[in-house]
Amino acid sequence: MIRKTRLFTPGPTPLLPAAQFAMAAADMHHRTPEFRALFQRVLAQLKVFVGTQNDVLLLSSSGTGAMEAAVANLTSPGEKVLVLTAGKFGERWRDLAKAYGCEPVVLSAPYGQTFDLADVKKALTPEIKAVLMQASETSTAVNHDVQGVAKLIKEVAPEALLVVDGITGLGTTHFDVDGWGIDVLIGGSQKAVMIPPGLAYLSVSEKAWAAMEKSKNPRYYFDLRKERKNQVKGETAYTPAVALVAGLGAALDYIAGQANGNLEQGRIALVNNAIVNAAATRAGLTALGFTLFAPTSPSAAATAVAVPEGMDSSDVVKALKTRFASVIANGQGEMKGKIFRVAHLGFFDYLDTIAFLGAMEHIAKDTLKLPVEWGQAVAAAQKVYAEAASK
Ligand SMILES: *Cc1c(COP(=O)(O)O)cnc(C)c1O
């Protein structure tokens, strides 16, 4: 039988065909009226996609570039920043803060869990200049309470900046960026916006722009003040990833097209799509005998499950690839072999979920020798979908 290659990974995610066509056709110089028009249109769309009145900047880098830009532009050596970490991406914030000479105060939760807001409150002392966190910790598929943290900052540390890695949070979480007071919210192209890796985007509040003037860090490629001056004119400081910008425009058009051209509504539909597919996947995999790795605060971007005791998640990853040409993610670092992760962010639909769970029934039965009744995982997912569709 033939097998289609399928990505079920939380970045890179499956590519939108319309974006692929737009990228292939983007034979364009970046210092032209054509590119300026495209770039300004995409920046305006991105503001709606992020859901903010703040500036949104686009950088030619992977998501980590925007994380580094946030630390480089907003902090100074010797400053205290509060890092909330519960996985590999939270640890990246800690390492970045150290690399720029900050003194990270690290509040960690065990892998698979999120923070207790009472602990966050205690850690929010007056010296804290910024709070660095994930909205969705992709390594453990945990959702963190950005709204809760934002509220605490307003209450007890109103000077502190809230910097959120929303790289898998955007497109899978309903944010109120300006209402909650998120100063920086970061996204990446290879996640919910359905295009290849290579672009990062971030919203920047007025409070964050003011803080940048005080930062003593050296900045060059990632000088956000320089980017802002250029981007209002449809320019970039350096050569942008032109084709990806064209692809991003096509993807945002597609998302708007899900709600008759209304991008805000389209974004809400995309988030709800991820939420329902994640819930259906959790139901399906639990029905097969897997244990949710993040049962109390699961992310809608991806689902992580632990394989039963004595089994190796690498066998599941391998079997899906060899039998069904499908790629899921293993655990990262010390979680490798213990969990696997399947994504729902971006260009995934309900039929993808059903196909994945159908394949997982074969793997559970043949590779893991679990007792499987055909249709067991699929039926559990169908119930979740039917309930959501009836609302
Ligand atoms: C994918 C991802 C990143 C960015 O990784 P890059 O490889 O630099 O694009 C950062 N944070 C989270 C939560 C992610 O999922």
Side-chain angles (χ1 to χ4, degrees):
M1 292 173 86
I2 69 162
R3 300 164 312 144
K4 294 190 195 175
T5 299
R6 288 182 169 88
L7 287 186
F8 287 101
T9 42
T13 61
L15 301 179
L16 178 76
Q20 291 178 283
F21 297 135
M23 288 186 287
D27 184 10
M28 201 188 277
H29 192 278
H30 59 291
R31 307 287 181 210
T32 58
E34 292 78 17
F35 182 75
R36 277 192 287 275
L38 168 70
F39 195 47
Q40 280 174 322
R41 179 173 76 84
V42 171
L43 288 175
Q45 285 176 308
L46 266 182
K47 277 174 85 144
V48 182
F49 183 73
V50 175
T52 182
Q53 300 296 322
N54 290 337
D55 293 295
V56 174
L57 301 178
L58 199 51
L59 304 174
S60 293
S61 76
S62 83
T64 306
M67 293 171 73
E68 174 152 353
V71 174
N73 282 270
L74 296 171
T75 69
S76 295
E79 283 183 356
K80 280 204 164 71
V81 296
L82 175 60
V83 175
L84 306 181
T85 171
K88 294 292 156 196
F89 292 101
E91 290 160 19
R92 188 168 298 181
W93 273 137
R94 178 200 62 202
D95 296 344
L96 265 167
K98 278 191 194 158
Y100 279 86
C102 293
E103 285 180 37
V105 176
V106 178
L107 175 65
S108 36
Y111 290 172
Q113 294 176 35
T114 189
F115 321 97
D116 189 334
L117 285 179
D119 296 335
V120 178
K121 191 170 181 176
K122 262 185 249 153
L124 274 172
T125 57
E127 311 86 75
I128 298 293
K129 293 285 185 236
V131 178
L132 311 177
M133 70 181 295
Q134 271 62 42
S136 156
E137 171 52 76
T138 319
S139 68
T140 58
V142 164
N143 187 55
H144 294 319
D145 184 1
V146 175
Q147 184 177 14
V149 173
K151 241 190 211 157
L152 286 179
I153 291 177
K154 277 191 178 167
E155 255 173 63
V156 301
E159 301 292 310
L161 294 164
L162 176 56
V163 179
V164 179
D165 163 2
I167 295 176
T168 56
L170 280 152
T172 65
T173 314
H174 297 293
F175 292 109
D176 179 359
V177 178
D178 303 345
W180 299 352
I182 303 175
D183 294 296
V184 173
L185 182 59
I186 299 169
S189 58
Q190 79 275 34
K191 309 283 172 129
V193 290
M194 313 174 182
I195 61 171
L199 289 178
Y201 54 98
L202 70 169
S203 70
V204 183
S205 72
E206 280 310 321
K207 185 171 154 192
W209 286 120
M212 272 180 225
E213 299 303 328
K214 298 199 195 105
S215 164
K216 295 194 177 65
N217 280 321
R219 284 156 274 179
Y220 191 83
Y221 186 75
F222 287 130
D223 188 337
L224 295 179
R225 297 163 303 173
K226 193 162 56 186
E227 284 301 334
R228 182 195 209 188
K229 278 196 197 115
N230 281 294
Q231 296 196 9
V232 286
K233 296 179 286 182
E235 297 277 353
T236 51
Y238 312 104
T239 312
V242 171
L244 290 173
V245 176
L248 180 54
L252 294 169
D253 286 346
Y254 171 82
I255 295 166
Q258 300 306 300
N260 300 315
N262 181 325
L263 182 53
E264 186 182 5
Q265 291 303 315
R267 178 241 300 159
I268 292 169
L270 181 72
V271 171
N272 289 336
N273 175 72
I275 290 172
V276 173
N277 279 301
T281 302
R282 289 196 296 273
L285 291 177
T286 334
L288 274 180
F290 294 100
T291 309
L292 296 176
F293 189 62
T296 49
S297 187
S299 168
T303 297
V305 294
V307 290
E309 204 46 45
M311 295 178 189
D312 189 337
S313 67
S314 309
D315 294 337
V316 177
V317 176
K318 269 186 222 143
L320 264 169
K321 182 78 170 78
T322 49
R323 286 188 68 184
F324 300 111
S326 292
V327 185
I328 56 169
N330 207 321
Q332 287 170 256
E334 52 273 55
M335 290 170 280
K336 189 169 182 197
K338 300 199 172 76
I339 64 171
F340 64 83
R341 295 168 298 143
V342 53
H344 323 291
L345 83 161
F347 195 46
F348 287 105
D349 71 359
Y350 172 56
L351 295 198
D352 292 323
T353 300
I354 290 295
F356 168 74
L357 291 172
M360 280 305 298
E361 291 181 4
H362 293 284
I363 307 281
K365 188 175 167 71
D366 302 337
T367 307
L368 301 177
K369 314 286 181 214
L370 294 171
V372 172
E373 294 243 15
W374 296 131
Q376 192 177 341
V378 170
Q382 285 171 318
K383 272 188 205 142
V384 172
Y385 172 82
E387 196 172 312
S390 70
K391 276 185 195 149

